[in-house]
Amino acid sequence: MIRVILPSHLRTLASVGGEVQLDLAGPVTSCSILDALEARFPMLRGTIRDQVTRQRRPFLRFFACNEDVSFVPPDGPLPDAVATGREPFFIVGAIAGG
Amino acid sequence: MSSVRVLVGTRKGAFILSSDGKREKWEVNGPFFGGWEVYHLKGSPVDPNRIYASQSSSWHGQVIQRSSDGGVTWEAVGNKFAYHGDTGTHQWYDGTPHPWEFKRVWHLEPSLVDPDTVYAGVEDAALFRTTDGGQNWHELSGLRGHGSGSRWQPGAGGMCLHTILLDPKNHNRIFIAISAAGAFRSDDAGATWKPINRGLRSQYIPDPVAEVGHCVHRIAMHPSRPDTLFMQKHWDVMRSDNGGDQWQEVSGNLPTDFGFVIDVHAHEPETIYVIPIKSDAEHYPPDGRLRVYRSRTGGNDWEPLTNGLPQSHCYVNVLRDGMAVDSLDSCGIYFGTTGGQVYASPDAGETWSAIVRDLPPVVSVEVQTLP
């Protein structure tokens, strides 16, 4: 079981109150997490990564175990703590604007 | 008894204002999609309870929302806007080639005959269509492919396709406008397009009478006379009586011919409305007086409408999708400002009042006249 923390706008859009729990088969990567997330919450398609380029949106970052994993390749392995559900996978919006 | 529903898009959400046919007391509902920019909402002419909304954010991109109950509940539908084929480049502000990149939907135009068919005008400028209620969107690529696409460049607000007019008498005819490329027309339901900018003069581009490159802010049409078009350009108010093949200036005695909105009275196809803005550098009304100008002669002769509008220290703007009319017997006119007011006139512009104040900056206003 994987735990995902969404930014507030996306929690509202997906109508979820707290963290999202997902069951994944296979390697736990940012790509597999987002695939599972979008399959369960189709309204999130395109909001975290571009649907055409598959690139992470520029104002969003991924964190796990207090580390920035935004630049781990989409198919690269995430920490075991995320894969086992001990730690959540954070999707965080940049603090930008006034 | 008839009623009206005003759909308001703002920088921080959408609002729906409702009133009976008297249009004296208003119920305000919202914000919907709070915190997101809602560039446009529009209802289907054949099913007024079917409303589409464009919700976007710099952080999270584009979301298309659909309601089937008049805006009470919403569901996110498809938001994949993929350009067709090899997208190529358009000009950037500095004149260099720039790849086409989808940013947001500026305008949603539901079909006149089918509630599941909707056109979307997007930035970077292109026209998309859905035929399944918004689940899947496909580009009408003949527009960008017509040959001038590589020469289009953005206006100050981006390179947006902001106006879509569907001809009620000829379902194969579609008009669109792009800032800052100009106006285009299709006579084969969107397959092929041609620029319709003859007669426009723009001193701020290298060739003032170029085929494309004119900054068109808005085009309006009366449904009974679809060959007659009215245009608010970056500068100049224009008119065409042959479907855009030729334009003539009708700015006449306006205090300034710069502005964004233009619309047509629901029952008088020669009565048109604009809101002059001082200049392209000063996006507010001349002398701080918010005045709608009305022409009852299809242009050239304009009268200021001021009753109920602030006539001092008013420095708001009214953006290109910010005006609409209802179709009740006494035509109602509505517009929203960047100061967060929505003004309404239930008597064709004679008297005005703010039906809501202190909203976020208003981006778009549409009106539904309900039976």
Side-chain angles (χ1 to χ4, degrees):
Chain A
M1 182 269 293
I2 306 299
R3 298 158 56 200
V4 180
I5 306 288
L6 295 169
S8 62
H9 273 321
L10 298 189
R11 287 200 296 272
T12 303
L13 182 61
S15 299
V16 296
E19 69 179 32
V20 173
Q21 299 183 349
L22 302 168
D23 288 319
L24 262 64
V28 175
T29 66
S30 64
C31 184
S32 67
I33 290 175
L34 294 178
D35 286 347
L37 186 68
E38 291 173 355
R40 182 158 154 201
F41 301 101
M43 67 286 286
L44 297 182
R45 289 177 185 156
T47 63
I48 300 167
R49 55 184 176 178
D50 186 281
Q51 291 194 83
V52 176
T53 66
R54 311 282 282 176
Q55 294 292 307
R56 171 174 48 86
R57 291 201 165 277
F59 287 172
L60 297 185
R61 300 274 282 276
F62 302 150
F63 285 83
C65 306
N66 295 320
E67 289 187 13
D68 183 354
V69 295
S70 305
F71 296 98
V72 172
D75 290 322
L78 293 173
D80 285 344
V82 173
T84 58
R86 281 187 289 119
E87 290 287 334
F89 180 75
F90 285 88
I91 301 171
V92 178
I95 299 173
Chain B
M1 183 184 187
S2 298
S3 61
V4 292
R5 195 189 282 145
V6 182
L7 310 175
V8 182
T10 81
R11 293 287 182 200
K12 292 291 180 184
F15 298 83
I16 298 181
L17 321 176
S18 304
S19 178
D20 62 21
K22 294 180 181 176
R23 294 159 290 180
E24 293 172 350
K25 295 179 180 176
W26 291 87
E27 179 182 316
V28 180
N29 285 300
F32 302 96
F33 329 121
W36 295 63
E37 292 186 309
V38 180
Y39 269 60
H40 197 221
L41 308 92
K42 194 155 190 181
S44 164
V46 286
D47 178 4
N49 282 326
R50 177 74 70 84
I51 303 173
Y52 295 89
S54 169
Q55 166 189 359
S56 68
S57 127
S58 298
W59 275 254
H60 303 302
Q62 178 71 52
V63 176
I64 296 289
Q65 296 275 357
R66 182 182 71 194
S67 174
S68 297
D69 55 12
V72 178
T73 62
W74 296 84
E75 62 175 320
V77 287
N79 59 357
K80 187 173 184 180
F81 290 88
Y83 293 108
H84 179 79
D86 180 11
T87 53
T89 61
H90 60 79
Q91 282 196 53
W92 196 232
Y93 294 99
D94 61 4
T96 59
H98 190 83
W100 239 275
E101 296 173 315
F102 172 78
K103 296 185 178 65
R104 60 177 63 83
V105 172
W106 278 68
H107 187 97
L108 292 163
E109 192 66 32
S111 157
L112 301 175
V113 295
D114 174 16
D116 286 332
T117 294
V118 186
Y119 296 84
V122 314
E123 179 189 358
D124 288 337
L127 184 64
F128 283 77
R129 180 170 60 197
T130 178
T131 56
D132 58 7
Q135 296 295 347
N136 295 284
W137 296 87
H138 303 284
E139 186 188 5
L140 298 171
S141 55
L143 175 61
R144 287 190 310 121
H146 118 280
S148 66
S150 62
R151 307 202 303 273
W152 302 350
Q153 63 179 29
M159 195 173 75
C160 52
L161 195 163
H162 52 72
T163 298
I164 305 169
L165 299 176
L166 305 176
D167 186 332
K169 294 186 176 179
N170 177 357
H171 292 167
N172 286 322
R173 178 168 275 198
I174 307 170
F175 302 92
I176 65 97
I178 297 167
S179 172
F184 295 80
R185 187 182 78 210
S186 172
D187 292 311
D188 53 12
T192 62
W193 295 81
K194 73 171 201 174
I196 49 167
N197 300 302
R198 190 173 297 162
L200 307 186
R201 287 189 66 85
S202 301
Q203 298 297 341
Y204 46 84
I205 61 177
D207 175 3
V209 294
E211 180 185 51
V212 299
H214 302 273
C215 190
V216 176
H217 286 180
R218 184 74 175 154
I219 303 177
M221 167 208 292
H222 191 277
S224 72
R225 299 245 301 268
D227 282 341
T228 296
L229 303 175
F230 297 99
M231 174 191 292
Q232 173 68 68
K233 199 163 136 283
H234 192 83
W235 295 101
D236 303 330
V237 178
M238 308 295 293
R239 172 191 179 117
S240 171
D241 287 297
N242 52 13
D245 284 336
Q246 182 70 37
W247 296 87
Q248 63 189 48
E249 185 176 356
V250 292
S251 305
N253 62 331
L254 288 171
T256 159
D257 55 13
F258 187 91
F260 289 96
V261 292
I262 189 164
D263 216 332
V264 188
H265 189 291
H267 311 301
E268 300 171 13
E270 291 290 319
T271 298
I272 55 179
Y273 300 85
V274 296
I275 300 179
I277 301 300
K278 184 173 181 182
S279 76
D280 54 356
E282 298 155 295
H283 281 187
Y284 44 73
D287 307 318
R289 302 167 66 189
L290 182 56
R291 288 169 291 182
V292 177
Y293 276 73
R294 178 176 62 192
S295 171
R296 290 191 179 280
T297 56
N300 285 321
D301 299 314
W302 298 90
E303 57 178 324
L305 308 173
T306 61
N307 190 355
L309 298 175
Q311 295 304 296
S312 64
H313 308 302
C314 181
Y315 296 96
V316 298
N317 194 1
V318 181
L319 299 176
R320 64 182 84 243
D321 243 340
M323 178 184 270
V325 303
D326 70 31
S327 58
L328 294 175
D329 284 344
S330 174
C331 178
I333 320 292
Y334 307 80
F335 69 90
T337 77
T338 55
Q341 307 91 14
V342 177
Y343 290 99
S345 168
D347 49 15
E350 296 299 325
T351 61
W352 296 87
S353 61
I355 59 178
V356 63
R357 294 179 176 276
D358 303 323
L359 298 184
V362 174
V363 179
S364 65
V365 172
E366 293 287 354
V367 180
Q368 295 180 286
T369 308
L370 306 173

